[in-house]
Amino acid sequence: MKNHTIRQSATIIEALSRLNDLSGGLMTLLVTAPDGSMAGTLTDGDVRRALLRGLSLTSPVEMAMKRDYRFIRKDDPDTVATIRRLRQLGLRLIPILDDNGHILRIIDTSVTSTLLPLRAILMAGGKGERLRPLTLETPKPLLPVGGRAIIDHNIASLAAAGIDHISVTVNYLAEKIEQHFATPVAGVSVRCIREPRQLGTIGSALLCDIPPEGQTLVMNSDLLTTISFEDMYIHHAAEQADITIAAIPYSIPVPYAILSTEGSRVKALEEKPSYTYYANAGIYIISNHLLRNLPSDERTDATDLIDSVIASGGKVTFYPISGTWIDIGTPADYAHACQLMKHIMNTPSTRTLE
């Protein structure tokens, strides 16, 4: 944060030196008043215009800075929507200020696109039996795709969405995953939680630190996807859902003419139709009170929790994934993921999976 802040009493020549240090990155300085509160912003363009007005290199920054700037308050009731709006206006550097105007955090939206009010849990306890022998000594989430472990692509995507409280539940070859996360990934210190036994596809979430309020994003760790976590969260919040399930379209072509009937009468004939359904993508946003009340004495799969919420009258919605989604469950899936990543890495204009 210090790289992007400068005192308003500093000289323009000092500001030019600081801006030069930012060359190749986002060349904007946030200007602070003597009491530490934010007073304005300064770019190299502001400096040029100030010099053209007759200011000297020894003039104070406050005479060149822009006083009309955009920011976010720490208690903004809808931080996600505010960041999204500012990002769409083209702002890359967004300060978050406390009640006294002091800078608490600076968001570079090219690195962290939003700040989702979510924690995340990645399930990484499976044995990956269908991928053997690849997974005999390497847990599936650590298999490399594009020079990076599968799970690390997901950690990077979560971090880019501003989610920095991430837990990974482990069981099979747990020590290797724990060793992998001994150092931060994508700037996040990932917490590893060991299952005492196989607890199902969501049961181990109960072992994690889950606050009473809010929501948690739970996902399988062996996916590669370009899902927008921001859009999924906005959908979840707008629907006031208990659970939102990320879903992928799954089409089934029928190679015959299908009859539409009423009793024994044929009403219409549809030639070789294709029916599209939505399949569970293994990514969920779940209200914390549901996760805190998972049974501790039995195996629980995500489908068990979803069925119980539906049966009790809770609201379960789905969010369609429009981009890439690959469930790496078989050698063919793994080969496809590696080939896809190779193509993406060789195509600079293509959206990445990070």
Side-chain angles (χ1 to χ4, degrees), residues 123 199-205 218-220 243-245 280-286 290-291 294-295 299-310 316:
M123 301 297 173
L199 295 175
T201 59
I202 205 167
S204 59
V218 181
M219 67 182 293
N220 298 340
I243 299 177
T244 295
I245 307 169
N280 183 353
I283 306 170
Y284 317 91
I285 296 178
I286 304 174
L290 295 174
L291 295 176
L294 287 170
R299 175 190 172 97
T300 306
D301 289 330
T303 50
D304 299 326
L305 175 61
I306 293 166
D307 286 341
S308 68
V309 172
I310 293 172
V316 178

PDB file of all heavy atoms in Angstrom, residues 123 199-205 218-220 243-245 280-286 290-291 294-295 299-310 316:
ATOM      1  N   MET A 123     -12.898 -29.111  -0.965  1.00  0.00           N
ATOM      2  CA  MET A 123     -12.872 -30.509  -0.570  1.00  0.00           C
ATOM      3  C   MET A 123     -11.765 -31.241  -1.325  1.00  0.00           C
ATOM      4  O   MET A 123     -11.785 -31.307  -2.554  1.00  0.00           O
ATOM      5  CB  MET A 123     -14.229 -31.164  -0.863  1.00  0.00           C
ATOM      6  CG  MET A 123     -15.394 -30.501  -0.143  1.00  0.00           C
ATOM      7  SD  MET A 123     -15.230 -30.643   1.653  1.00  0.00           S
ATOM      8  CE  MET A 123     -16.585 -29.612   2.203  1.00  0.00           C
ATOM      9  N   LEU A 199     -15.823 -38.243   5.440  1.00  0.00           N
ATOM     10  CA  LEU A 199     -17.058 -37.618   5.930  1.00  0.00           C
ATOM     11  C   LEU A 199     -18.026 -37.243   4.810  1.00  0.00           C
ATOM     12  O   LEU A 199     -19.029 -36.574   5.056  1.00  0.00           O
ATOM     13  CB  LEU A 199     -16.714 -36.372   6.755  1.00  0.00           C
ATOM     14  CG  LEU A 199     -15.935 -36.631   8.060  1.00  0.00           C
ATOM     15  CD1 LEU A 199     -15.538 -35.313   8.717  1.00  0.00           C
ATOM     16  CD2 LEU A 199     -16.780 -37.462   9.013  1.00  0.00           C
ATOM     17  N   GLY A 200     -17.722 -37.663   3.571  1.00  0.00           N
ATOM     18  CA  GLY A 200     -18.619 -37.352   2.473  1.00  0.00           C
ATOM     19  C   GLY A 200     -18.181 -36.106   1.731  1.00  0.00           C
ATOM     20  O   GLY A 200     -17.180 -35.467   2.063  1.00  0.00           O
ATOM     21  N   THR A 201     -18.965 -35.715   0.727  1.00  0.00           N
ATOM     22  CA  THR A 201     -18.573 -34.612  -0.135  1.00  0.00           C
ATOM     23  C   THR A 201     -18.785 -33.239   0.488  1.00  0.00           C
ATOM     24  O   THR A 201     -18.376 -32.231  -0.088  1.00  0.00           O
ATOM     25  CB  THR A 201     -19.328 -34.678  -1.471  1.00  0.00           C
ATOM     26  OG1 THR A 201     -20.743 -34.632  -1.206  1.00  0.00           O
ATOM     27  CG2 THR A 201     -18.983 -35.948  -2.231  1.00  0.00           C
ATOM     28  N   ILE A 202     -19.424 -33.195   1.674  1.00  0.00           N
ATOM     29  CA  ILE A 202     -19.569 -31.900   2.338  1.00  0.00           C
ATOM     30  C   ILE A 202     -19.469 -32.003   3.854  1.00  0.00           C
ATOM     31  O   ILE A 202     -19.347 -30.987   4.552  1.00  0.00           O
ATOM     32  CB  ILE A 202     -20.899 -31.219   1.941  1.00  0.00           C
ATOM     33  CG1 ILE A 202     -20.790 -29.700   2.095  1.00  0.00           C
ATOM     34  CG2 ILE A 202     -22.075 -31.758   2.770  1.00  0.00           C
ATOM     35  CD1 ILE A 202     -21.914 -28.933   1.459  1.00  0.00           C
ATOM     36  N   GLY A 203     -19.480 -33.218   4.394  1.00  0.00           N
ATOM     37  CA  GLY A 203     -19.475 -33.395   5.850  1.00  0.00           C
ATOM     38  C   GLY A 203     -18.293 -32.754   6.547  1.00  0.00           C
ATOM     39  O   GLY A 203     -18.415 -32.253   7.678  1.00  0.00           O
ATOM     40  N   SER A 204     -17.137 -32.712   5.889  1.00  0.00           N
ATOM     41  CA  SER A 204     -15.942 -32.171   6.528  1.00  0.00           C
ATOM     42  C   SER A 204     -16.000 -30.660   6.700  1.00  0.00           C
ATOM     43  O   SER A 204     -15.177 -30.073   7.408  1.00  0.00           O
ATOM     44  CB  SER A 204     -14.688 -32.552   5.734  1.00  0.00           C
ATOM     45  OG  SER A 204     -14.759 -32.068   4.412  1.00  0.00           O
ATOM     46  N   ALA A 205     -16.971 -30.001   6.079  1.00  0.00           N
ATOM     47  CA  ALA A 205     -17.112 -28.547   6.254  1.00  0.00           C
ATOM     48  C   ALA A 205     -17.365 -28.203   7.712  1.00  0.00           C
ATOM     49  O   ALA A 205     -17.004 -27.117   8.186  1.00  0.00           O
ATOM     50  CB  ALA A 205     -18.241 -28.014   5.385  1.00  0.00           C
ATOM     51  N   VAL A 218     -18.416 -23.446  -1.029  1.00  0.00           N
ATOM     52  CA  VAL A 218     -17.870 -24.796  -0.907  1.00  0.00           C
ATOM     53  C   VAL A 218     -17.741 -25.377  -2.316  1.00  0.00           C
ATOM     54  O   VAL A 218     -18.671 -25.285  -3.114  1.00  0.00           O
ATOM     55  CB  VAL A 218     -18.778 -25.700  -0.048  1.00  0.00           C
ATOM     56  CG1 VAL A 218     -18.169 -27.091   0.087  1.00  0.00           C
ATOM     57  CG2 VAL A 218     -19.020 -25.077   1.325  1.00  0.00           C
ATOM     58  N   MET A 219     -16.560 -25.952  -2.602  1.00  0.00           N
ATOM     59  CA  MET A 219     -16.383 -26.508  -3.946  1.00  0.00           C
ATOM     60  C   MET A 219     -15.426 -27.685  -3.937  1.00  0.00           C
ATOM     61  O   MET A 219     -14.599 -27.830  -3.028  1.00  0.00           O
ATOM     62  CB  MET A 219     -15.877 -25.435  -4.908  1.00  0.00           C
ATOM     63  CG  MET A 219     -14.479 -24.925  -4.632  1.00  0.00           C
ATOM     64  SD  MET A 219     -13.961 -23.612  -5.789  1.00  0.00           S
ATOM     65  CE  MET A 219     -13.853 -24.509  -7.342  1.00  0.00           C
ATOM     66  N   ASN A 220     -15.570 -28.518  -4.933  1.00  0.00           N
ATOM     67  CA  ASN A 220     -14.615 -29.595  -5.140  1.00  0.00           C
ATOM     68  C   ASN A 220     -13.288 -28.987  -5.586  1.00  0.00           C
ATOM     69  O   ASN A 220     -13.262 -28.001  -6.317  1.00  0.00           O
ATOM     70  CB  ASN A 220     -15.126 -30.574  -6.199  1.00  0.00           C
ATOM     71  CG  ASN A 220     -16.424 -31.247  -5.789  1.00  0.00           C
ATOM     72  OD1 ASN A 220     -16.776 -31.284  -4.613  1.00  0.00           O
ATOM     73  ND2 ASN A 220     -17.155 -31.759  -6.756  1.00  0.00           N
ATOM     74  N   ILE A 243     -29.171 -22.044  -0.366  1.00  0.00           N
ATOM     75  CA  ILE A 243     -28.095 -22.704  -1.121  1.00  0.00           C
ATOM     76  C   ILE A 243     -28.229 -22.310  -2.588  1.00  0.00           C
ATOM     77  O   ILE A 243     -29.335 -22.294  -3.142  1.00  0.00           O
ATOM     78  CB  ILE A 243     -28.170 -24.241  -1.017  1.00  0.00           C
ATOM     79  CG1 ILE A 243     -28.035 -24.715   0.427  1.00  0.00           C
ATOM     80  CG2 ILE A 243     -27.090 -24.899  -1.886  1.00  0.00           C
ATOM     81  CD1 ILE A 243     -28.183 -26.227   0.593  1.00  0.00           C
ATOM     82  N   THR A 244     -27.104 -21.972  -3.195  1.00  0.00           N
ATOM     83  CA  THR A 244     -27.061 -21.800  -4.644  1.00  0.00           C
ATOM     84  C   THR A 244     -26.090 -22.821  -5.205  1.00  0.00           C
ATOM     85  O   THR A 244     -24.957 -22.946  -4.724  1.00  0.00           O
ATOM     86  CB  THR A 244     -26.620 -20.382  -5.039  1.00  0.00           C
ATOM     87  OG1 THR A 244     -27.612 -19.450  -4.607  1.00  0.00           O
ATOM     88  CG2 THR A 244     -26.458 -20.270  -6.550  1.00  0.00           C
ATOM     89  N   ILE A 245     -26.538 -23.554  -6.213  1.00  0.00           N
ATOM     90  CA  ILE A 245     -25.741 -24.599  -6.844  1.00  0.00           C
ATOM     91  C   ILE A 245     -25.271 -24.096  -8.204  1.00  0.00           C
ATOM     92  O   ILE A 245     -26.082 -23.683  -9.033  1.00  0.00           O
ATOM     93  CB  ILE A 245     -26.570 -25.881  -7.059  1.00  0.00           C
ATOM     94  CG1 ILE A 245     -27.227 -26.337  -5.755  1.00  0.00           C
ATOM     95  CG2 ILE A 245     -25.716 -26.984  -7.662  1.00  0.00           C
ATOM     96  CD1 ILE A 245     -28.272 -27.437  -5.956  1.00  0.00           C
ATOM     97  N   ASN A 280     -25.215 -30.693 -11.667  1.00  0.00           N
ATOM     98  CA  ASN A 280     -24.497 -30.154 -10.506  1.00  0.00           C
ATOM     99  C   ASN A 280     -23.010 -30.027 -10.842  1.00  0.00           C
ATOM    100  O   ASN A 280     -22.351 -30.989 -11.210  1.00  0.00           O
ATOM    101  CB  ASN A 280     -24.704 -31.086  -9.312  1.00  0.00           C
ATOM    102  CG  ASN A 280     -24.066 -30.581  -8.037  1.00  0.00           C
ATOM    103  OD1 ASN A 280     -23.342 -29.580  -8.036  1.00  0.00           O
ATOM    104  ND2 ASN A 280     -24.323 -31.266  -6.932  1.00  0.00           N
ATOM    105  N   ALA A 281     -22.451 -28.801 -10.690  1.00  0.00           N
ATOM    106  CA  ALA A 281     -21.048 -28.556 -11.025  1.00  0.00           C
ATOM    107  C   ALA A 281     -20.108 -28.686  -9.835  1.00  0.00           C
ATOM    108  O   ALA A 281     -18.898 -28.485  -9.974  1.00  0.00           O
ATOM    109  CB  ALA A 281     -20.903 -27.158 -11.637  1.00  0.00           C
ATOM    110  N   GLY A 282     -20.631 -29.010  -8.655  1.00  0.00           N
ATOM    111  CA  GLY A 282     -19.762 -29.205  -7.493  1.00  0.00           C
ATOM    112  C   GLY A 282     -19.260 -27.913  -6.873  1.00  0.00           C
ATOM    113  O   GLY A 282     -18.221 -27.892  -6.211  1.00  0.00           O
ATOM    114  N   ILE A 283     -20.001 -26.805  -7.074  1.00  0.00           N
ATOM    115  CA  ILE A 283     -19.661 -25.512  -6.482  1.00  0.00           C
ATOM    116  C   ILE A 283     -20.941 -24.960  -5.855  1.00  0.00           C
ATOM    117  O   ILE A 283     -21.980 -24.895  -6.533  1.00  0.00           O
ATOM    118  CB  ILE A 283     -19.128 -24.517  -7.540  1.00  0.00           C
ATOM    119  CG1 ILE A 283     -17.949 -25.120  -8.309  1.00  0.00           C
ATOM    120  CG2 ILE A 283     -18.723 -23.193  -6.896  1.00  0.00           C
ATOM    121  CD1 ILE A 283     -17.525 -24.305  -9.523  1.00  0.00           C
ATOM    122  N   TYR A 284     -20.856 -24.554  -4.593  1.00  0.00           N
ATOM    123  CA  TYR A 284     -22.054 -24.123  -3.875  1.00  0.00           C
ATOM    124  C   TYR A 284     -21.765 -22.864  -3.050  1.00  0.00           C
ATOM    125  O   TYR A 284     -20.657 -22.684  -2.540  1.00  0.00           O
ATOM    126  CB  TYR A 284     -22.535 -25.204  -2.902  1.00  0.00           C
ATOM    127  CG  TYR A 284     -22.511 -26.608  -3.449  1.00  0.00           C
ATOM    128  CD1 TYR A 284     -21.384 -27.423  -3.286  1.00  0.00           C
ATOM    129  CD2 TYR A 284     -23.608 -27.136  -4.125  1.00  0.00           C
ATOM    130  CE1 TYR A 284     -21.348 -28.712  -3.788  1.00  0.00           C
ATOM    131  CE2 TYR A 284     -23.588 -28.436  -4.626  1.00  0.00           C
ATOM    132  CZ  TYR A 284     -22.453 -29.224  -4.453  1.00  0.00           C
ATOM    133  OH  TYR A 284     -22.424 -30.498  -4.933  1.00  0.00           O
ATOM    134  N   ILE A 285     -22.767 -22.017  -2.901  1.00  0.00           N
ATOM    135  CA  ILE A 285     -22.751 -20.994  -1.856  1.00  0.00           C
ATOM    136  C   ILE A 285     -23.839 -21.399  -0.868  1.00  0.00           C
ATOM    137  O   ILE A 285     -25.000 -21.581  -1.250  1.00  0.00           O
ATOM    138  CB  ILE A 285     -23.006 -19.587  -2.415  1.00  0.00           C
ATOM    139  CG1 ILE A 285     -21.880 -19.178  -3.369  1.00  0.00           C
ATOM    140  CG2 ILE A 285     -23.116 -18.579  -1.265  1.00  0.00           C
ATOM    141  CD1 ILE A 285     -22.074 -17.812  -4.002  1.00  0.00           C
ATOM    142  N   ILE A 286     -23.442 -21.551   0.392  1.00  0.00           N
ATOM    143  CA  ILE A 286     -24.330 -22.132   1.402  1.00  0.00           C
ATOM    144  C   ILE A 286     -24.382 -21.233   2.628  1.00  0.00           C
ATOM    145  O   ILE A 286     -23.343 -20.755   3.107  1.00  0.00           O
ATOM    146  CB  ILE A 286     -23.834 -23.539   1.808  1.00  0.00           C
ATOM    147  CG1 ILE A 286     -23.715 -24.435   0.573  1.00  0.00           C
ATOM    148  CG2 ILE A 286     -24.773 -24.160   2.836  1.00  0.00           C
ATOM    149  CD1 ILE A 286     -23.091 -25.798   0.847  1.00  0.00           C
ATOM    150  N   LEU A 290     -26.520 -23.553   7.945  1.00  0.00           N
ATOM    151  CA  LEU A 290     -26.708 -24.928   7.467  1.00  0.00           C
ATOM    152  C   LEU A 290     -25.442 -25.754   7.666  1.00  0.00           C
ATOM    153  O   LEU A 290     -25.500 -26.918   8.073  1.00  0.00           O
ATOM    154  CB  LEU A 290     -27.107 -24.917   5.994  1.00  0.00           C
ATOM    155  CG  LEU A 290     -28.451 -24.277   5.654  1.00  0.00           C
ATOM    156  CD1 LEU A 290     -28.635 -24.208   4.143  1.00  0.00           C
ATOM    157  CD2 LEU A 290     -29.595 -25.063   6.304  1.00  0.00           C
ATOM    158  N   LEU A 291     -24.290 -25.154   7.375  1.00  0.00           N
ATOM    159  CA  LEU A 291     -23.025 -25.872   7.534  1.00  0.00           C
ATOM    160  C   LEU A 291     -22.721 -26.135   9.009  1.00  0.00           C
ATOM    161  O   LEU A 291     -22.183 -27.187   9.363  1.00  0.00           O
ATOM    162  CB  LEU A 291     -21.889 -25.071   6.898  1.00  0.00           C
ATOM    163  CG  LEU A 291     -21.954 -24.890   5.378  1.00  0.00           C
ATOM    164  CD1 LEU A 291     -20.814 -24.001   4.897  1.00  0.00           C
ATOM    165  CD2 LEU A 291     -21.904 -26.242   4.663  1.00  0.00           C
ATOM    166  N   LEU A 294     -24.485 -29.347  10.277  1.00  0.00           N
ATOM    167  CA  LEU A 294     -24.281 -30.650   9.651  1.00  0.00           C
ATOM    168  C   LEU A 294     -24.112 -31.715  10.734  1.00  0.00           C
ATOM    169  O   LEU A 294     -23.535 -31.437  11.791  1.00  0.00           O
ATOM    170  CB  LEU A 294     -23.023 -30.619   8.769  1.00  0.00           C
ATOM    171  CG  LEU A 294     -23.117 -29.844   7.456  1.00  0.00           C
ATOM    172  CD1 LEU A 294     -21.730 -29.695   6.834  1.00  0.00           C
ATOM    173  CD2 LEU A 294     -24.063 -30.536   6.483  1.00  0.00           C
ATOM    174  N   PRO A 295     -24.598 -32.930  10.497  1.00  0.00           N
ATOM    175  CA  PRO A 295     -24.429 -33.989  11.504  1.00  0.00           C
ATOM    176  C   PRO A 295     -22.961 -34.343  11.688  1.00  0.00           C
ATOM    177  O   PRO A 295     -22.216 -34.471  10.710  1.00  0.00           O
ATOM    178  CB  PRO A 295     -25.220 -35.164  10.925  1.00  0.00           C
ATOM    179  CG  PRO A 295     -25.344 -34.881   9.459  1.00  0.00           C
ATOM    180  CD  PRO A 295     -25.368 -33.400   9.322  1.00  0.00           C
ATOM    181  N   ARG A 299     -21.675 -39.676   7.745  1.00  0.00           N
ATOM    182  CA  ARG A 299     -21.221 -39.167   6.451  1.00  0.00           C
ATOM    183  C   ARG A 299     -22.328 -38.321   5.824  1.00  0.00           C
ATOM    184  O   ARG A 299     -23.508 -38.692   5.861  1.00  0.00           O
ATOM    185  CB  ARG A 299     -20.878 -40.343   5.542  1.00  0.00           C
ATOM    186  CG  ARG A 299     -20.508 -39.939   4.114  1.00  0.00           C
ATOM    187  CD  ARG A 299     -20.420 -41.150   3.202  1.00  0.00           C
ATOM    188  NE  ARG A 299     -20.249 -40.723   1.813  1.00  0.00           N
ATOM    189  CZ  ARG A 299     -19.083 -40.646   1.194  1.00  0.00           C
ATOM    190  NH1 ARG A 299     -17.981 -40.998   1.839  1.00  0.00           N
ATOM    191  NH2 ARG A 299     -19.007 -40.235  -0.057  1.00  0.00           N
ATOM    192  N   THR A 300     -21.936 -37.166   5.263  1.00  0.00           N
ATOM    193  CA  THR A 300     -22.919 -36.302   4.616  1.00  0.00           C
ATOM    194  C   THR A 300     -22.391 -35.853   3.261  1.00  0.00           C
ATOM    195  O   THR A 300     -21.317 -35.247   3.175  1.00  0.00           O
ATOM    196  CB  THR A 300     -23.225 -35.053   5.463  1.00  0.00           C
ATOM    197  OG1 THR A 300     -23.603 -35.442   6.785  1.00  0.00           O
ATOM    198  CG2 THR A 300     -24.356 -34.243   4.833  1.00  0.00           C
ATOM    199  N   ASP A 301     -23.139 -36.156   2.220  1.00  0.00           N
ATOM    200  CA  ASP A 301     -22.812 -35.667   0.893  1.00  0.00           C
ATOM    201  C   ASP A 301     -23.573 -34.377   0.629  1.00  0.00           C
ATOM    202  O   ASP A 301     -24.596 -34.096   1.267  1.00  0.00           O
ATOM    203  CB  ASP A 301     -23.163 -36.709  -0.172  1.00  0.00           C
ATOM    204  CG  ASP A 301     -22.235 -37.911  -0.133  1.00  0.00           C
ATOM    205  OD1 ASP A 301     -21.060 -37.726   0.246  1.00  0.00           O
ATOM    206  OD2 ASP A 301     -22.672 -39.025  -0.483  1.00  0.00           O
ATOM    207  N   ALA A 302     -23.085 -33.603  -0.329  1.00  0.00           N
ATOM    208  CA  ALA A 302     -23.749 -32.344  -0.655  1.00  0.00           C
ATOM    209  C   ALA A 302     -25.201 -32.578  -1.056  1.00  0.00           C
ATOM    210  O   ALA A 302     -26.086 -31.779  -0.704  1.00  0.00           O
ATOM    211  CB  ALA A 302     -22.986 -31.641  -1.772  1.00  0.00           C
ATOM    212  N   THR A 303     -25.444 -33.659  -1.769  1.00  0.00           N
ATOM    213  CA  THR A 303     -26.818 -33.949  -2.188  1.00  0.00           C
ATOM    214  C   THR A 303     -27.728 -34.227  -0.996  1.00  0.00           C
ATOM    215  O   THR A 303     -28.924 -33.905  -1.036  1.00  0.00           O
ATOM    216  CB  THR A 303     -26.836 -35.149  -3.140  1.00  0.00           C
ATOM    217  OG1 THR A 303     -26.087 -36.235  -2.552  1.00  0.00           O
ATOM    218  CG2 THR A 303     -26.195 -34.788  -4.481  1.00  0.00           C
ATOM    219  N   ASP A 304     -27.175 -34.820   0.079  1.00  0.00           N
ATOM    220  CA  ASP A 304     -27.960 -35.048   1.290  1.00  0.00           C
ATOM    221  C   ASP A 304     -28.415 -33.721   1.896  1.00  0.00           C
ATOM    222  O   ASP A 304     -29.580 -33.565   2.291  1.00  0.00           O
ATOM    223  CB  ASP A 304     -27.145 -35.824   2.335  1.00  0.00           C
ATOM    224  CG  ASP A 304     -26.712 -37.196   1.847  1.00  0.00           C
ATOM    225  OD1 ASP A 304     -27.477 -37.818   1.078  1.00  0.00           O
ATOM    226  OD2 ASP A 304     -25.614 -37.642   2.225  1.00  0.00           O
ATOM    227  N   LEU A 305     -27.480 -32.770   1.983  1.00  0.00           N
ATOM    228  CA  LEU A 305     -27.813 -31.457   2.544  1.00  0.00           C
ATOM    229  C   LEU A 305     -28.840 -30.749   1.669  1.00  0.00           C
ATOM    230  O   LEU A 305     -29.819 -30.189   2.179  1.00  0.00           O
ATOM    231  CB  LEU A 305     -26.548 -30.608   2.665  1.00  0.00           C
ATOM    232  CG  LEU A 305     -26.752 -29.159   3.125  1.00  0.00           C
ATOM    233  CD1 LEU A 305     -27.368 -29.113   4.522  1.00  0.00           C
ATOM    234  CD2 LEU A 305     -25.438 -28.386   3.097  1.00  0.00           C
ATOM    235  N   ILE A 306     -28.639 -30.780   0.365  1.00  0.00           N
ATOM    236  CA  ILE A 306     -29.571 -30.102  -0.547  1.00  0.00           C
ATOM    237  C   ILE A 306     -30.966 -30.701  -0.436  1.00  0.00           C
ATOM    238  O   ILE A 306     -31.970 -29.976  -0.351  1.00  0.00           O
ATOM    239  CB  ILE A 306     -29.049 -30.191  -1.990  1.00  0.00           C
ATOM    240  CG1 ILE A 306     -27.762 -29.360  -2.127  1.00  0.00           C
ATOM    241  CG2 ILE A 306     -30.108 -29.711  -2.985  1.00  0.00           C
ATOM    242  CD1 ILE A 306     -26.985 -29.635  -3.399  1.00  0.00           C
ATOM    243  N   ASP A 307     -31.053 -32.028  -0.409  1.00  0.00           N
ATOM    244  CA  ASP A 307     -32.355 -32.695  -0.283  1.00  0.00           C
ATOM    245  C   ASP A 307     -33.059 -32.300   1.014  1.00  0.00           C
ATOM    246  O   ASP A 307     -34.275 -32.055   1.022  1.00  0.00           O
ATOM    247  CB  ASP A 307     -32.182 -34.220  -0.326  1.00  0.00           C
ATOM    248  CG  ASP A 307     -31.866 -34.738  -1.720  1.00  0.00           C
ATOM    249  OD1 ASP A 307     -32.121 -34.001  -2.693  1.00  0.00           O
ATOM    250  OD2 ASP A 307     -31.350 -35.872  -1.829  1.00  0.00           O
ATOM    251  N   SER A 308     -32.292 -32.215   2.099  1.00  0.00           N
ATOM    252  CA  SER A 308     -32.910 -31.886   3.388  1.00  0.00           C
ATOM    253  C   SER A 308     -33.405 -30.444   3.414  1.00  0.00           C
ATOM    254  O   SER A 308     -34.455 -30.151   3.997  1.00  0.00           O
ATOM    255  CB  SER A 308     -31.916 -32.124   4.533  1.00  0.00           C
ATOM    256  OG  SER A 308     -30.837 -31.202   4.489  1.00  0.00           O
ATOM    257  N   VAL A 309     -32.649 -29.529   2.780  1.00  0.00           N
ATOM    258  CA  VAL A 309     -33.077 -28.127   2.733  1.00  0.00           C
ATOM    259  C   VAL A 309     -34.346 -27.985   1.895  1.00  0.00           C
ATOM    260  O   VAL A 309     -35.285 -27.278   2.269  1.00  0.00           O
ATOM    261  CB  VAL A 309     -31.951 -27.228   2.184  1.00  0.00           C
ATOM    262  CG1 VAL A 309     -32.447 -25.809   1.940  1.00  0.00           C
ATOM    263  CG2 VAL A 309     -30.779 -27.205   3.158  1.00  0.00           C
ATOM    264  N   ILE A 310     -34.388 -28.669   0.762  1.00  0.00           N
ATOM    265  CA  ILE A 310     -35.591 -28.630  -0.080  1.00  0.00           C
ATOM    266  C   ILE A 310     -36.787 -29.201   0.676  1.00  0.00           C
ATOM    267  O   ILE A 310     -37.883 -28.624   0.664  1.00  0.00           O
ATOM    268  CB  ILE A 310     -35.356 -29.402  -1.390  1.00  0.00           C
ATOM    269  CG1 ILE A 310     -34.315 -28.683  -2.252  1.00  0.00           C
ATOM    270  CG2 ILE A 310     -36.664 -29.563  -2.166  1.00  0.00           C
ATOM    271  CD1 ILE A 310     -33.881 -29.467  -3.476  1.00  0.00           C
ATOM    272  N   VAL A 316     -33.467 -23.263  -2.509  1.00  0.00           N
ATOM    273  CA  VAL A 316     -32.285 -23.718  -3.247  1.00  0.00           C
ATOM    274  C   VAL A 316     -32.408 -23.215  -4.678  1.00  0.00           C
ATOM    275  O   VAL A 316     -33.408 -23.493  -5.354  1.00  0.00           O
ATOM    276  CB  VAL A 316     -32.155 -25.252  -3.227  1.00  0.00           C
ATOM    277  CG1 VAL A 316     -30.952 -25.693  -4.052  1.00  0.00           C
ATOM    278  CG2 VAL A 316     -32.034 -25.753  -1.788  1.00  0.00           C
TER     279      VAL A 316
END
